[in-house]
């Protein structure tokens, strides 16, 4: 760490000027200076005294405890600083050291030795080795001539290990670091100190010979006083004939002292770092003439000599006499010879001069480390100055005394404060109480160095601390009094620096709690870092507060009136020092004002300097930045380390100013050539992390709540102007981008929000953008292609979406269970649409999970945002991903002012796995390429964001006022928005490469087909695999206009159960499409680049207008049977246009009962017919009577057939009205089959079915009569079933239709079941004979009423009545034959004789699966008579027993016969009816689902038993007639 030039003990440091001598590289020169800097404190006890007796005035033996402090500098102080000497002698370099690189000299000598050895082997001497001493001597002489005011001139050659004899005095050789000892540099510094102390004696004696010294005067323009005049840069050149200008920039190589000879003379260069206005130290003509003969003149011995020694050119000039001539008569410099009496003017001037010389001598003692002598000399001089009202020198003497006391304290010594420092001491003759006080001129009472914590030292130090505030005020007041009441006006520079030094000292004590301990003293003297935590609780209340220190500090502020007399470099230093002290005190707002003033002072000077440099280099002042910068680069050496340091230092300073005003500039990522590419890449990667981006967003949001926005923009404008003046391209880009960012809103507005506009005007925004573009172009012309700005809006990328791919290429995920379901569907010949088909769903890109396929292109849609009123040109944008290798294409676009732009970017994932698109890699024109995360949600910072004080570098500031615990707790309860906006990413899964199948051929022209209702047709499709991946899984699914209508209707709430069944039946049994698979198509595989042909069958149905074939395919691999987890398929959709025309329609239907007489006659005829010779089997007999389908007497053949089958004794008559809607004749064929037996299959009765053929002309309706066997259904009231497997899931779905009553519901169910039984016996087809087109007729339009159901139904309990003679009765006890004859003329009609006892057999058969407990009621009556007459048969009809009786319970399938004897007493026609009723309803399973108690059922005869009673003779005749008719 360097020394503080404005430290309170700065007057105690000896300034040493160091510069390179010869060819010395910058890096090695810095290393050599650092080695000297390590020993910049030299203890006098380690210094050897000079042996010459006239050089012992500053002998180190007088005070061996003292120390000499060196301030090593590589630049000459400005002329304004040199003008203050000898008033402030510490500003002038008293030691000049030239550093040479011995390694370079040794290399030259080595080459010379080789050349000499080759020329003459006997000669071992080298001209270079012989002449090195001569060259060093000449260099030392030129050094003394160039810097005549310096006391010591030294040349130090580092890293030279060889021994050289005969070196002149002032030349030192320092071996390399490996060969050096620990005391090598220390010894060198001690020798240098010894020479310095010796030369101080001569300088002090020459000063003592002077009668007086002039006070420093203020510079004005180019004139200055006290023996210094401005000089150009050419005057700084050490070479007499080969000088060159170095004003264009820093000189890295040395300019020659003299022309380099062919033998390689060592060259000496000027300082590497020079001030903006470099002034060489010039002297009077006399001194310059004397400098040619020696370093110093002979001390004056006469008044004339004294006057001549004091003569300066130009003469002193007060600030207010600028119009007077700069030169005054020489007589004014002469000392008057008269007026030597006490109190005369001459005596007062002599005393004043003696006091001033004493002050300078005391400062020399202070520099030499002889602090006791310095205090003694300064105390005497201060007394003299006070007595003679020489306020300026009086204040300076007390200033030096204070420094001496501080050095005492640092050295750990006890000391006594001189009385002259007491604030109550006044000059003699005043009315003060202290007028009689006699100041002590003796030196302080010093004791040997004790421990740092000794009580006496602590008391002395505390006394000094207590005295400091008044002492400092007294010194500053004396400076002000001198300015007001005398002509000795202290220059603004000296006054400001003194004020700053005192304020820094008081601030150090204030911040240390009112104490000055050893840690603080080390920080004060050595500029060391503090190792102890400051204890603020020990602060003394009487010590000046921060506010008082601030008031004192601002006395050093150079006002606007001093701008013409204070050089810009001094003004800059003063303002920077004030800002530094304010920062230590914690007044950052005041610091910000001072720094803003500093920028305002720098900008005009830098701009003017740039113009001057451009004019000096031959360019127009308005030349471009590229030309100026290129010339500067050309004049500099290839080593750009110094450029980087200067540039980095300027940017660090501007960054500090920005932090104070609440601006956080962009970090410099690739700012230096010292950073390697790997380090820069690492910094860039950390900068682009989403966490870092969100942290910057939150920080910027917090900064926007801090300070004034307009003030921030003004500061940034100043930073840009400074960087432009310094040709700092990186700074121009950095602060221009920061200005755009600061002016932005820093929010992510929503789609409907109008917020987010920047606070800059459109012209300023465009100007900044143009400035960035122009600067980048200049940098590229200079070869700095990587010098670009940082983009200013973090919310550039707002949305990244995956663009929906072609539905034919969208991969659909499936589980292994889906593959098993497909296999189960393929196993069934008839496809059940209600079985879950995972492939029936059309392919869609709107799936929850985005799936990508490896090695296939995919497209993403990126939405970019621009909240500024200028065009943003995107040179390159690509997608960023993580998880998998992903190749993204690059796009370029232009985002308009305050708008968004959407572009499409394609990419290819290379492998399978998880892939996430995290953001975009964007290269904005003029900006670095960087990563931008996605912020797809609107975000605005909350109002209660807290200021992060550490972001501005003020985290160490303590609260000025105490804060209560209650307010602290309330502050902690407020939420802090530290999360910032949430970035999003697009997560996707990438699957293995999948095949792509395309439709190669379809046999349907234009994919269209025309059908009739019920007609089926076949067509073919050819599929081609266009990829290199084989298709080993292929499944077809079909959708059409009917299924799309039926499925929603079957699942909605409105339809009833029967309607739902019809819809489900149509979906199950009337499918529009069917894949006709051959046996070889069980495992279909399409190899890469090959084709496959499939056959599809289509069925014409009403409402079928379009259809879709969904080809689901995929690649499962060679072990597809062992597929686990998920697999993926793609879907190829083939649309078809279908036209279905009407063919045969069912217009109406009816069902009526049909008599059993035809069946009874057929059976009777079969019994009476003679048997054939060859007994045929039962089946052959039935097939032999099958009617001829083309017979015209087909109904007669049908009647002749009934009754022959014992299973079908009862029939009903079905009437169908069919209409031909096709414009061509159609022939219908209707088949009726009998009910299959238990031993027959369901298809076998159709082989023996009776078929009716009927041609129907176009537009005509034909009625067809069909005999249908009556049917018994075990549970005709069972709930209507559902064909869908998920029917149970709909059991809680309520229908919106009105709920029917239980009776109506039972009737509906019964009609449904008997209708299904009827349809199972009938089927119909049609045929167009001209074209041989065939199809089926839809008979499901049949509708059954209750009457029709009654005609078709067989009851649970069948009642049959038959008449038998008494002898044939099973219960007859008579064994005699009966002569009674009974003739049966029909199944229910008998001719019986009168007055004969007959037997009525009633047979009850239980068809139901449940037992029945019946009660039988018989009711004889007269036929065809009114009810009251028909029942009056007491004298006409006799019976034995009761007509109503309870019967035992009938089991399922059981029959029981009940006999009753009766006799008809008269002729007539009688009818016996029978009714069976359940005695009690036996509990049975509730199959209806309607609940409730079972009710008693009643069954009756469908046809009553008719008895025709006749006399006996008439009975016989009727019997013969009936037999003849039956035959």
């Amino acid at each position: 760490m360097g020394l503080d030039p404005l430290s309170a003990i700065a007057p105690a440091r000896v300034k040493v000027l160091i510069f390179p001598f010869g060819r010395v590289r910058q890096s090695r020169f810095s290393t050599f200076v650092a080695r000297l800097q390590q020993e910049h404190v030299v203890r006098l006890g380690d210094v050897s005294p000079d042996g010459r007796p006239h050089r012992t005035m500053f002998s180190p033996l007088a005070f061996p405890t003292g120390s000499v402090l060196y301030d090593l500098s590589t630049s000459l102080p400005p002329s304004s600083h040199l003008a203050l000497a000898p008033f402030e002698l510490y500003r002038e370099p008293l030691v000049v050291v030239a550093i040479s690189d011995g390694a370079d000299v040794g290399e030259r000598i080595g080459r010379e030795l080789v050349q000499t050895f080759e020329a003459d082997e006997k000669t071992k001497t080298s001209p270079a080795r012989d002449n090195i001493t001569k060259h060093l001597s000449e260099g030392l002489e030129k050094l003394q001539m160039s810097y005549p005011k310096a006391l010591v001139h030294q040349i130090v050659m580092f890293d030279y290990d060889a021994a050289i004899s005969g070196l002149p005095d002032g030349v030192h050789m320092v071996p390399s670091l490996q060969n050096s000892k620990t005391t090598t540099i220390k010894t060198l510094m001690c020798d240098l100190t010894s020479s310095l102390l010796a030369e101080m004696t001569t300088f002090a004696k020459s000063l003592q010979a002077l009668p007086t010294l002039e006070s420093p005067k203020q510079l004005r323009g180019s004139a200055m006083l006290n023996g210094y005049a401005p000089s150009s840069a050419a005057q700084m050149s050490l070479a007499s004939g080969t000088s060159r200008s170095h004003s264009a920039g820093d000189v890295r190589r040395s300019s020659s002292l003299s022309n380099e000879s062919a033998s390689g003379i060592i060259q000496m260069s000027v300082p590497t770092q020079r001030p903006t206005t470099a002034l060489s130290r010039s002297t009077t003509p006399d001194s310059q003439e004397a400098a040619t003969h020696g370093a110093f003149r002979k001390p004056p011995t006469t008044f004339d000599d004294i006057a001549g020694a004091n003569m300066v050119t130009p003469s002193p000039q007060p600030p207010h006499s600028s119009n007077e001539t700069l030169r005054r008569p020489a007589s004014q410099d002469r000392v008057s010879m008269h007026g030597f009496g006490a109190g005369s003017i001459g005596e007062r001037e002599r005393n004043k001069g003696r006091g001033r010389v004493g002050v300078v001598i005391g400062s020399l003692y202070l520099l030499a480390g002889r602090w006791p002598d310095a205090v003694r000399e300064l105390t005497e001089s201060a007394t003299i100055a006070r007595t003679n009202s020489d306020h300026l020198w009086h204040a300076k003497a007390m200033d030096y005394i204070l420094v001496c006391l501080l050095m005492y304290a640092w050295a750990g010594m006890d000391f006594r404060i001189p009385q002259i420092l007491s604030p109550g001491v006044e000059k003699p003759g005043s009315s003060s109480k202290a007028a009689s006080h006699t100041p002590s001129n003796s030196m302080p009472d010093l004791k040997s160095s004790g421990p740092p914590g000794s009580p006496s030292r602590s008391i002395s130090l505390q006394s000094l601390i207590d005295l400091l505030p008044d002492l400092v005020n007294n010194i500053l007041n004396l400076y002000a009094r001198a300015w007001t009441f005398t002509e000795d006006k202290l220059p603004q520079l000296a006054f400001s620096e003194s004020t700053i030094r005192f304020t820094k000292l008081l601030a150090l004590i204030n911040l240390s709690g009112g104490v000055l301990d050893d840690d603080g003293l080390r920080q004060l003297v050595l500029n060391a870092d503090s190792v102890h935590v400051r204890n603020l609780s020990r602060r003394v209340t009487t010590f000046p507060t921060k506010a008082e220190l601030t008031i004192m500090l601002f006395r050093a502020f150079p006002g606007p009136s001093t701008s013409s007399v204070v050089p810009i470099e001094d003004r800059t230093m003063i303002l920077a020092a004030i800002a530094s002290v304010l920062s230590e005190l914690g007044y950052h707002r005041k610091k910000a004002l001072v720094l803003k003033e500093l920028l305002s002072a720098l900008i005009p000077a830098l701009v003017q300097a740039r113009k001057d440099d451009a004019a000096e280099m031959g360019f127009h002042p308005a030349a471009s930045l590229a030309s100026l910068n290129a010339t500067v680069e050309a004049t500099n050496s290839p080593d750009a380390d110094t450029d980087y340091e200067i540039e980095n230092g300027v940017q660090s300073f501007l960054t500090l100013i920005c932090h104070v005003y609440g601006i956080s500039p962009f970090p410099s990522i690739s700012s230096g050539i010292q950073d390697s590419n790997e380090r820069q890449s690492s910094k860039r990667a950390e900068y682009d992390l989403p966490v870092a981006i969100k942290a910057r967003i939150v920080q910027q949001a917090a900064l926007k709540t801090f300070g004034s926005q307009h003030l921030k923009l003004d500061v940034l404008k100043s930073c840009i102007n400074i960087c432009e003046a310094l040709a700092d391209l990186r700074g121009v880009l950095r602060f221009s981008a920061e200005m755009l960012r600061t002016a932005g809103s820093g929010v992510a507005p929503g789609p409907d929000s109008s917020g987010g506009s920047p606070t800059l005007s459109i012209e300023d925004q465009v100007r900044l953008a143009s400035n960035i573009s122009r600067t980048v172009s200049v940098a590229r012309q200079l070869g700095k292609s990587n010098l670009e700005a940082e983009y200013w809006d973090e919310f550039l990328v707002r949305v990244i979406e995956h663009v929906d791919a072609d539905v034919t290429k969208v991969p659909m995920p499936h589980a292994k269970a889906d593959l098993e379901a497909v296999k189960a569907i393929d196993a069934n010949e008839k496809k059940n649409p209600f079985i879950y088909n995972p492939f029936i769903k059309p392919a869609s890109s709107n799936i929850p999970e985005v799936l990508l396929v490896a090695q296939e292109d995919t497209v993403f849609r990126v939405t970019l945002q621009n909240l500024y009123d200028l065009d943003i040109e995107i040179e390159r944008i690509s997608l960023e991903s993580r998880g998998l290798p992903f190749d993204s294409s690059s796009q370029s676009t232009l985002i308009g002012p305050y708008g968004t732009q959407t572009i499409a970017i394609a990419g290819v994932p290379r492998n399978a796995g998880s892939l996430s698109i995290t953001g975009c890699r964007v290269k904005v024109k003029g900006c670095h390429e960087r990563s931008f995360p996605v912020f797809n949600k609107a975000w605005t910072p909350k109002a209660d964001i807290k200021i992060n004080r550490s972001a501005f570098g003020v985290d160490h500031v303590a609260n000025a006022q105490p804060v209560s615990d209650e307010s602290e707790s309330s502050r902690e309860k407020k939420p802090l928005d530290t999360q910032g906006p949430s970035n999003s990413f697009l997560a996707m899964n990438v699957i293995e490469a999948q095949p792509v199948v395309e439709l190669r051929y379809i046999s349907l022209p234009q994919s269209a087909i025309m059908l009739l209702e019920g007609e089926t047709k076949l067509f073919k499709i050819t599929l081609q695999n266009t990829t290199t991946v084989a298709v080993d899984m292929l499944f077809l699914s079909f959708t059409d206009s009917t299924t799309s209508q039926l499925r929603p209707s079957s699942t909605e709430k409105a339809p009833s159960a029967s309607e739902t069944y019809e819809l489900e039946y149509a979906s199950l049994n009337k499918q529009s499409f069917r894949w006709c698979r051959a046996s070889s198509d069980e495992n279909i595989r399409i190899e890469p680049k090959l084709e496959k042909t499939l056959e599809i069958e289509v069925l014409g149905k009403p409402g079928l207008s379009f259809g879709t074939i969904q080809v689901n395919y995929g690649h499962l691999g060679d072990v597809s049977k062992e597929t686990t987890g998920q697999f993926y398929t793609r879907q190829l959709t083939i649309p078809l246009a279908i036209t279905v025309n009407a063919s045969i329609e069912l217009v109406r239907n009816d069902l009526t009962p049909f008599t059993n007489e035809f069946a009874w006659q057929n059976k009777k005829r079969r019994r009476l017919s003679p048997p054939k010779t060859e007994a045929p089997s039962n089946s052959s007999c039935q097939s032999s009577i099958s009617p001829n389908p083309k017979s015209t007497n087909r109904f007669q053949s049908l009647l002749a057939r009934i009754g022959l089958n014992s299973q079908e004794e009862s029939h009903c008559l079905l009437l169908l009205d069919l209409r031909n809607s096709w414009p061509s004749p159609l022939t219908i064929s209707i088949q009726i089959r009998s009910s299959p037996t238990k031993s027959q299959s369901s298809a076998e009765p159709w082989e023996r079915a009776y078929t009716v053929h009927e041609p129907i002309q176009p537009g005509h309706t034909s009625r067809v009569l069909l005999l249908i066997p009556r049917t018994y259904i075990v549970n005709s009231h069972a709930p209507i079933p559902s064909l869908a497997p998920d029917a149970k899931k709909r059991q809680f779905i309520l229908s919106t239709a009105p709920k029917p009553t239980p009776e109506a519901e039972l009737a509906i169910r019964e009609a449904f079941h008997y209708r299904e039984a009827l349809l199972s016996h009938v089927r119909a087809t049609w045929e167009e004979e001209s074209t041989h087109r065939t199809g089926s007729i839809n008979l499901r339009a049949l509708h059954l009423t209750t009457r029709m159901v009654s005609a078709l139904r067989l009851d649970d309990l069948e009642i049959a009545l038959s008449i038998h003679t008494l002898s044939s009765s099973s219960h007859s006890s008579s064994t005699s034959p009966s002569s009674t004859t009974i003739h049966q003329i029909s199944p229910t009609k008998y001719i019986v004789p009168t007055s004969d006892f007959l037997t009525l057999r009633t047979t009850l058969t239980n068809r139901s699966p449940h037992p029945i407990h019946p009660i039988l009621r018989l009711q004889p009556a007269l036929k065809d008579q009114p009810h009251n007459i028909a029942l009056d048969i007491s004298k006409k009809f006799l019976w034995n027993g009761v007509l109503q009786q309870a019967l035992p319970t009938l089991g399922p399938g059981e029959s029981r016969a009940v006999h009753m004897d009766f006799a008809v007493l008269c002729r007539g026609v009688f009818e016996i009816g029978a009714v069976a009723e359940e005695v009690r309803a036996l509990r049975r399973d509730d199959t209806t689902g309607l609940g409730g108690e079972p009710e008693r059922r009643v069954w009756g005869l469908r046809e009553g038993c008719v008895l025709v009673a006749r006399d006996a003779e008439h009975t016989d005749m009727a019997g013969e007639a009936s037999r003849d008719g039956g035959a």
Side-chain angles (χ1 to χ4, degrees), residues 17 19 76 93 96 142-153 236 238 268-271 280-281 295:
L17 177 63
F19 56 85
L76 190 68
V96 178
K142 293 181 180 181
L143 189 66
Q144 294 173 352
M145 294 175 61
S146 301
Y147 298 95
K149 288 295 186 75
L151 301 181
V152 178
H153 303 81
M236 291 296 299
L238 300 182
M268 180 175 64
S269 62
V270 298
S280 61
R281 178 164 181 165

Side-chain angles (χ1 to χ4, degrees), residues 651 655 665-668 729-739:
Q651 291 196 22
T655 301
F666 286 102
S668 186
L729 303 182
R730 181 173 291 105
V732 172
L733 295 175
R734 183 184 182 192
F735 292 106
S736 297
E738 179 58 35
M739 189 170 181

Side-chain angles (χ1 to χ4, degrees), residues 1164 1381-1385 1390-1393 1508 1510-1527:
K1164 182 178 180 181
T1381 302
I1382 301 175
H1383 302 282
Q1384 184 177 5
I1385 59 177
Y1390 294 88
I1391 300 176
V1392 297
V1508 179
R1510 296 181 182 178
D1511 295 335
E1513 60 275 9
H1514 296 290
T1515 303
D1516 294 337
M1517 293 174 61
E1520 293 177 1
S1522 63
R1523 284 193 298 270
D1524 293 341

Side-chain angles (χ1 to χ4, degrees), residues 1258-1310:
H1260 288 204
T1261 300
S1262 177
R1263 174 167 291 183
V1264 181
L1265 302 179
L1266 303 173
L1267 286 177
I1268 305 299
R1270 297 178 63 198
T1271 305
Y1272 172 74
I1273 299 177
V1274 176
N1275 186 12
S1276 61
H1277 294 159
I1280 299 175
S1282 176
L1283 301 178
D1286 58 347
K1288 293 183 179 180
K1289 298 180 181 179
R1290 302 201 311 265
Q1291 61 181 343
F1292 299 108
I1293 298 178
L1294 299 178
S1295 176
T1296 57
K1299 186 176 181 181
T1301 61
E1303 293 77 8
E1305 178 65 24
L1306 293 177
I1308 292 172
R1309 294 180 181 182
E1310 187 178 29

Side-chain angles (χ1 to χ4, degrees), residues 631-647:
T631 307
V632 174
E633 291 288 337
T635 58
N636 291 337
S637 68
D639 189 0
D641 290 343
T642 305
D643 277 346
Y644 169 70
E645 292 176 359
I646 296 175
E647 181 180 317

Side-chain angles (χ1 to χ4, degrees), residues 128-144:
R129 187 182 298 274
D130 295 338
N131 295 332
I132 185 64
T133 304
K134 179 181 178 180
H135 297 326
L136 291 175
S137 299
E138 293 177 354
L140 188 60
E141 291 178 1
K142 293 181 180 181
L143 189 66
Q144 294 173 352

Side-chain angles (χ1 to χ4, degrees), residues 405-423:
L405 298 182
L406 292 175
M407 297 305 296
Y408 278 134
W410 169 72
M413 301 178 183
D414 297 337
F415 57 88
R416 181 179 300 171
I417 301 175
Q419 189 66 27
I420 192 65
L421 300 183
S422 176

